[in-house]
Amino acid sequence: MTPVLLIGAAGVFGSRLAEGLAAAGFEVICVGRDLSRAEAIAERLRHAGGAARALAMDARAVTPGALIASGAAVVVDAAGPFQGAEPVVARAAITAGLHYVDLADARDFVAGFHELDEAARAAGVTALTGASSTPALSNAVLDMLTEGWREVTSVAVGISPGARAPRGRSVVEAILSWTGRPVRVFEGGEWRLRPGWSGMVRRDFGVGGRRWLSLCETPDLDILPARFGPRRSAVFRAGLEPDLLHLSMSALASVAAITGLRLRPLAGALTAMSSVFSRFGSDVGGMRVEALGVDAEGRARRAFWLLTAEPGEGPVTPTLAALAAVKAIIAGRAAAGARVCVGELTLDDLNVEMDRHPLTRVRRSERAALFARSIGPAFDDLPDALRALHEGVGERIWRGVAQCDGPANLMAGLVGRVIGFPAKTGEAPVEVRIDADGRRSVWKRQIGAARFGSVLSNPRPGGRISERFGFVTVELRLRPEGERLIYEVRGWRLGPLPLPRFLAPRTTTHEQLDAEGRFAFDVEIGLPMLGRVVHYRGWLEPEPL
């Protein structure tokens, strides 16, 4: 029976990992500064039929001699917080000739861990950091989702614990250490600084419902761009349940960003506050991993993986990678050296551990191109140039030439001017910027000096799709006809309010190839009683990436 020394065995995550190690047949040496708490965990493991003993030790002053004296073969650090900490335990374990694993989710700690590699190789031991939900699990999921892809455009990871998930003080301190502080994130194709816990988005967590997520500083913000090379963005976000707690945290982050207020000293008060909020909201925890890119067949693809944890099971998820890592080390499947725990464990390895718990996983992959989802199989029969424009993901720029006939009369011209449509012009340069993320496609057009834009979204079977110009949304039907794509107006609304069909805009719009095989467009839009508002036609070619 292999002895594993577990630091922080009485903590939120450590206690779950202790149970997992004992159930897997390891002898668990439960370590903590408070011997009575460590003994309580050891007694619980023994009562369940496991092998366990307790040991008092201060992780901040641990020595190689103390680790050797414990008789352990592997040292696991589940104590934290790791933010701003030195790898004291890892160094001591390597010096003692013992394998090491931790659950670190601190960006700075994980980034500097490679400095221990030479010593670990010399000692012939394996030292793995980040064996937790981030970065170990998140990267294993993305390895699976993007396997064989030609291009990764963007990746995003989100974690949202249940409302009654235990929030120990060390966890709260870790979050507060970067909340409202500048966080370096790869976004919009470049590295930028954003305040921690900013940029709220709403995401679907299955049975857990739609939840708010905000920017979270974790090792994945560095690791995901390095491993997957996304062209557009790589973001890690976290959320709190219920919504009121998340929104309160967001407000606090804004205050800290503006004033420079340090929030970490408020950990005690905020931990108590979160306990008050815990009676509200869903107690279902979740993790969401998604990727946008181009698959092996050259098609825009959006894939996501969703984990749902039943009430009370959320805290076990961050421990499963550490458990799998310990097993891999003991089985001789991990090479010597010190490194981040990414690429070490496959999702299949982690599924073995997740299968032992009520953790539901859903994987889904779909065409990212809105037109492909709306039109169906007939989309793939369109000419390459048409498909290329509508298949792109991320931001693409198309340039060409167009000419415009302009409005039929003064009133129609006033309507066109409000929208930004061009007036009558001869040949003029055209630029179209299309930013598509699989949920919506934002079009920004410039013909000559005129600028106007729209947002396409909500693709439905039968060629139906919505296009919004400001407060007005037009319901379209896309109809392939040979090598042409025809646009038809089927309704419209002002905000959520449906408008009379007989007053809806009229359009004679189609796309096709021109004589040179380029993407060509012919768009005419009019209104009942007013006549033509705009008519522009021309061609486009993609700007090289």
Side-chain angles (χ1 to χ4, degrees):
M1 185 175 289
T2 304
V4 176
L5 185 147
L6 177 58
I7 296 173
V12 172
F13 302 128
S15 60
R16 270 72 173 185
L17 180 54
E19 293 169 356
L21 289 166
F26 295 101
E27 179 192 5
V28 185
I29 306 169
C30 301
V31 173
R33 283 178 290 177
D34 186 332
L35 182 60
S36 62
R37 292 186 65 198
E39 179 58 44
I41 293 296
E43 175 59 30
R44 192 170 82 193
L45 299 180
R46 290 193 293 266
H47 183 74
R53 52 191 167 96
L55 186 65
M57 186 182 297
D58 186 350
R60 295 171 297 182
V62 67
T63 65
L67 296 178
I68 293 172
S70 73
V74 182
V75 175
V76 180
D77 189 352
F82 294 91
Q83 280 77 5
E86 289 292 319
V88 175
V89 178
R91 285 198 188 104
I94 292 170
T95 302
L98 304 177
H99 301 295
Y100 170 88
V101 175
D102 69 42
L103 280 68
D105 62 355
R107 188 176 187 177
D108 56 344
F109 185 94
V110 171
F113 199 77
H114 66 92
E115 296 174 2
L116 305 178
D117 184 56
E118 184 177 347
R121 289 175 183 271
V125 299
T126 301
L128 299 176
T129 188
S132 190
S133 301
T134 167
L137 176 55
S138 56
N139 277 260
V141 173
L142 283 168
D143 284 338
M144 176 270 296
L145 291 179
T146 62
E147 185 177 7
W149 283 18
R150 298 182 185 179
E151 175 191 305
V152 176
T153 304
S154 62
V155 292
V157 180
I159 291 180
S160 178
R164 285 174 286 283
R167 297 185 178 101
R169 179 163 179 154
S170 63
V171 174
V172 175
E173 286 182 353
I175 295 173
L176 294 179
S177 68
W178 46 259
T179 299
R181 315 302 301 170
V183 172
R184 188 169 174 264
V185 59
F186 186 70
E187 183 181 69
E190 61 184 16
W191 287 98
R192 301 177 180 178
L193 289 178
R194 300 291 191 207
W197 212 263
S198 65
M200 288 199 308
V201 297
R202 195 81 162 163
R203 292 291 182 263
D204 181 17
F205 277 82
V207 297
R210 292 182 63 80
R211 298 186 178 183
W212 290 110
L213 297 172
S214 294
L215 176 63
C216 175
E217 180 154 68
T218 76
D220 270 338
L221 294 184
D222 293 321
I223 294 169
L224 297 181
R227 291 195 76 231
F228 297 97
R231 181 166 56 87
R232 188 71 176 159
S233 65
V235 182
F236 191 104
R237 301 182 179 96
L240 294 172
E241 271 284 289
D243 285 351
L244 183 58
L245 182 58
H246 187 98
L247 296 173
S248 299
M249 191 70 170
S250 180
L252 194 60
S254 297
V255 171
I258 294 170
T259 66
L261 176 68
R262 297 282 180 174
L263 299 179
R264 198 163 182 170
L266 304 177
L270 292 175
T271 302
M273 182 189 303
S274 70
S275 298
V276 174
F277 280 101
S278 67
R279 69 191 69 181
F280 308 105
S282 169
D283 197 30
V284 173
M287 180 173 181
R288 181 185 176 95
V289 183
E290 57 186 296
L292 181 70
V294 180
D295 67 15
E297 298 178 343
R299 294 174 174 174
R301 180 69 56 181
R302 177 171 170 253
F304 77 87
W305 178 90
L306 181 65
L307 178 146
T308 302
E310 295 296 322
E313 289 296 322
V316 78
T317 308
T319 72
L320 300 179
L323 177 56
V326 171
K327 289 182 177 181
I329 290 170
I330 296 303
R333 300 197 307 271
R339 56 193 177 274
V340 183
C341 189
V342 296
E344 300 286 327
L345 304 168
T346 67
L347 189 58
D348 287 340
D349 295 328
L350 296 170
N351 278 331
V352 170
E353 310 304 333
M354 288 188 278
D355 286 343
R356 298 188 175 96
H357 300 273
L359 301 171
T360 304
R361 283 92 72 197
V362 174
R363 176 188 177 183
R364 188 173 301 163
S365 180
E366 64 183 11
R367 298 286 291 270
L370 302 185
F371 279 33
R373 300 215 304 269
S374 173
I375 296 170
F379 176 82
D380 292 325
D381 296 330
L382 291 170
D384 290 347
L386 272 64
R387 287 189 291 105
L389 183 135
H390 296 296
E391 187 85 64
V393 288
E395 186 177 67
R396 296 293 306 274
I397 301 175
W398 292 68
R399 300 185 191 278
V401 173
Q403 61 184 47
C404 182
D405 292 339
N409 52 60
L410 179 61
M411 289 300 297
L414 290 175
V415 173
R417 184 174 297 179
V418 169
I419 298 174
F421 287 149
K424 183 175 181 178
T425 181
E427 288 194 348
V430 179
E431 179 185 278
V432 180
R433 291 178 179 265
I434 304 174
D435 195 353
D437 63 5
R439 297 181 182 86
R440 63 178 194 161
S441 183
V442 179
W443 289 50
K444 296 179 180 178
R445 307 169 179 89
Q446 181 172 356
I447 301 177
R451 299 172 183 266
F452 61 103
S454 63
V455 179
L456 290 153
S457 63
N458 194 24
R460 287 97 70 202
R464 295 175 296 167
I465 197 166
S466 303
E467 184 168 18
R468 178 173 57 83
F469 297 85
F471 294 107
V472 175
T473 299
V474 179
E475 299 298 337
L476 298 172
R477 182 190 174 214
L478 307 171
R479 181 169 56 84
E481 185 180 88
E483 294 193 337
R484 301 202 310 171
L485 180 61
I486 310 297
Y487 289 60
E488 299 173 348
V489 175
R490 291 303 180 94
W492 67 322
R493 65 180 187 272
L494 180 63
L497 181 65
L499 297 173
R501 178 81 176 270
F502 73 91
L503 293 176
R506 307 287 192 260
T507 186
T508 304
T509 296
H510 67 269
E511 300 167 352
Q512 62 182 36
L513 299 182
D514 69 3
E516 279 75 42
R518 299 173 298 199
F519 177 94
F521 55 90
D522 191 315
V523 180
E524 183 170 356
I525 300 173
L527 288 171
M529 298 179 288
L530 292 185
R532 185 181 69 238
V533 176
V534 70
H535 180 201
Y536 57 92
R537 56 202 176 276
W539 57 267
L540 294 169
E541 288 183 321
E543 185 176 88
L545 290 173

